[in-house]
Coordinates of all heavy atoms in Angstrom, one line a residue:
G26 N 2.7 7.5 -3.7 CA 1.5 8.4 -3.8 C 1.8 9.7 -3.1 O 2.9 9.9 -2.5
L42 N -9.8 -18.7 3.5 CA -10.3 -18.6 4.9 C -11.8 -18.7 4.8 O -12.5 -18.7 3.8 CB -9.8 -17.4 5.6 CG -8.3 -17.3 5.7 CD1 -7.9 -15.8 6.2 CD2 -7.7 -18.3 6.6
Q69 N -11.5 -15.4 22.9 CA -11.4 -15.6 24.3 C -10.3 -14.8 25.0 O -9.9 -15.0 26.1 CB -11.2 -17.1 24.6 CG -12.4 -17.9 24.1 CD -12.3 -19.4 24.7 OE1 -12.1 -19.6 25.8 NE2 -12.7 -20.3 23.8
C70 N -9.8 -13.8 24.2 CA -8.8 -12.9 24.7 C -9.4 -12.1 25.9 O -10.4 -11.5 25.7 CB -8.2 -12.1 23.6 SG -7.0 -10.8 24.1
R86 N -17.4 3.6 12.7 CA -18.5 4.5 12.9 C -18.2 5.9 12.3 O -19.0 6.6 11.9 CB -18.8 4.6 14.4 CG -19.5 3.4 14.9 CD -19.7 3.4 16.4 NE -20.5 2.2 16.8 CZ -20.7 1.9 18.1 NH1 -20.3 2.7 19.1 NH2 -21.4 0.8 18.4
M95 N -13.5 -1.3 4.4 CA -14.0 -2.4 5.2 C -13.0 -2.8 6.3 O -11.8 -2.4 6.2 CB -14.3 -3.6 4.3 CG -13.1 -4.2 3.6 SD -13.6 -5.7 2.6 CE -14.3 -6.8 4.0
D121 N -21.1 -3.7 13.3 CA -21.9 -3.5 12.0 C -21.2 -4.4 11.0 O -20.1 -4.1 10.5 CB -21.8 -2.0 11.6 CG -22.5 -1.9 10.2 OD1 -23.0 -2.8 9.6 OD2 -22.5 -0.7 9.7
A159 N -10.7 -27.8 28.2 CA -9.4 -27.2 28.1 C -9.5 -25.7 27.8 O -10.4 -25.2 27.2 CB -8.7 -27.8 26.9
T183 N -0.6 0.5 16.7 CA -0.7 -0.3 17.9 C -2.3 -0.5 18.1 O -3.0 0.5 18.3 CB -0.1 0.4 19.1 OG1 1.3 0.6 18.9 CG2 -0.3 -0.4 20.4

Side-chain angles (χ1 to χ4, degrees):
L42 300 170
Q69 298 193 43
C70 177
R86 290 174 175 175
M95 67 178 299
D121 177 0
T183 300

